[in-house]
Amino acid sequence: MSIFTYTQRNNIILVSIVVLGCLLLYALSGLFSSILGAVVLFTLFRPLYLNLVDKRGWNKSAVTLLIIFTSLVVIVLPFLALSFMVIGKIADVDLSSLPIQVWQAKVDTFTGSMFHQPHFFENTVAKLGVYATDLFPSILGSAANIIITLLVLYFLLFFMFTQIKEFEAGLLRYAPFREQYSLKFATALRDCTYSNVLGQGIIAVVQGALLANGFWVFGIPDPLFWGVIGAFISFLPVVGAPTLTIPASIILFANDHTLKGILLLAYGLLFIGNIDNVLRMIINRRLANTHPLISVIGVFIGLPMFGILGLVFGPLLLSYFLLLIEIYETNRLAADRLERIKSVSEAES
């Protein structure tokens, strides 16, 4: 006969579940990017899946494979293309043919007289080197990890879609909220994901296109390449694509194209920089109102954790965290009201 009571046995089992759960979470911490990526893609493509499967009667597996292929083409391949573009551009550069010393002398002379920065060129090159190393490590230096992450991500996504009813029923069953709050959380989760991923993606594409157009008009070499780079760094709220016009303008100033330099700088900082605010206002009105501070702080949270993927995952995690706080406050207020009603009822009886 057991020495433990029924309640004691349940408590021991609960403690064991918590301990084993923590160990499993620690063991799976390396796959957190895959799990979060699968959740993001599931949220983005769920309406398309339901439309094709439930309304049009398409095969579940075929639709899931179509979504996986689409996400690869739209989301994954651009990151890989960027890495190949950067590698190719670096490989094609013939440093001996470039008048780097002349550029350095002109730029340092200009910045020294105007901004009291006589070593601006050298310092900027050093900072850009460190920045590029930090920004693209997961693409240029961790190919094996990227492949594993993608395989796990799409493995999870495949079963999340092909077993969507069981998956969503399990989420509702084990969610620590009442059903109405679980549905509210799912809706808010969708809106946050759309605002952070789709919204920021639209802003990045528009700013990259405007930057490429400006560089082409003012005669900066390789405008398409710099437009692509600008689109990707547009995910950085503090830096952004407009900052690329600053070194380009300084080079124009150093080459005695003062008017072009001023116009390009104004075009970048005033027009491209402010188009961000206009687009964000339209996107927030149609999707969810994501405060710019969430994007800024989220990027600083996400980059150390996920590398370049943190540009997207960081703001998402912060948005989810704030959403959970909001639901907790709602639940607490509801519990307080029920407790007051119960106390009044007992007092009256």
Side-chain angles (χ1 to χ4, degrees), residues 100-314:
I100 295 179
Q101 298 297 329
V102 177
W103 291 353
Q104 179 176 352
K106 289 185 176 181
V107 170
D108 286 345
T109 300
F110 176 79
T111 55
S113 60
M114 296 293 294
F115 307 108
H116 304 290
Q117 297 286 336
H119 302 291
F120 178 83
F121 188 93
E122 182 180 353
N123 294 336
T124 301
V125 170
K127 290 178 180 179
L128 288 176
V130 174
Y131 176 72
T133 303
D134 291 338
L135 187 59
F136 299 106
S138 58
I139 291 180
L140 303 179
S142 305
N145 291 335
I146 291 175
I147 293 173
I148 293 173
T149 299
L150 290 177
L151 288 175
V152 175
L153 186 156
Y154 285 117
F155 179 81
L156 293 173
L157 189 65
F158 181 84
F159 287 103
M160 288 167 69
F161 274 126
T162 55
Q163 300 179 10
I164 186 170
K165 292 182 179 179
E166 295 84 352
F167 173 68
E168 292 183 342
L171 290 179
L172 284 175
R173 180 179 179 183
Y174 294 105
F177 320 119
R178 297 170 60 185
E179 184 173 348
Q180 60 180 2
Y181 292 126
S182 297
L183 295 176
K184 179 183 178 181
F185 177 75
T187 302
L189 192 75
R190 178 199 63 195
D191 292 342
C192 288
T193 304
Y194 280 14
S195 177
N196 282 286
V197 178
L198 292 182
Q200 190 58 47
I202 293 171
I203 292 173
V205 170
V206 171
Q207 286 194 325
L210 291 175
L211 182 72
N213 180 70
F215 277 20
W216 174 71
V217 169
F218 290 102
I220 302 297
D222 297 322
L224 181 60
F225 171 78
W226 292 113
V228 173
I229 297 296
F232 276 87
I233 69 171
S234 291
F235 283 93
L236 296 171
V238 178
V239 183
T243 55
L244 289 179
T245 60
I246 297 175
S249 299
I250 291 176
I251 292 175
L252 290 175
F253 290 146
N255 289 326
D256 299 325
H257 299 299
T258 306
L259 180 59
K260 282 187 176 182
I262 294 174
L263 292 176
L264 179 59
L265 192 61
Y267 173 78
L269 298 182
L270 299 180
F271 181 68
I272 300 179
N274 286 312
I275 201 70
D276 181 340
N277 299 325
V278 176
L279 291 175
R280 197 177 298 279
M281 186 184 306
I282 297 173
I283 291 166
N284 289 344
R285 188 182 299 122
R286 292 181 175 272
L287 297 175
N289 188 12
T290 301
H291 197 279
L293 276 178
I294 294 178
S295 299
V296 175
I297 299 173
V299 165
F300 287 107
I301 293 172
L303 281 177
M305 294 177 63
F306 306 107
I308 194 171
L309 296 178
L311 298 176
V312 176
F313 288 166

Side-chain angles (χ1 to χ4, degrees), residues 333-349:
L333 293 174
D336 290 343
R337 284 196 300 268
L338 290 175
E339 189 65 29
R340 287 195 299 268
I341 293 173
K342 183 178 179 181
S343 300
V344 171
S345 300
E346 290 176 351
E348 291 177 350
S349 60

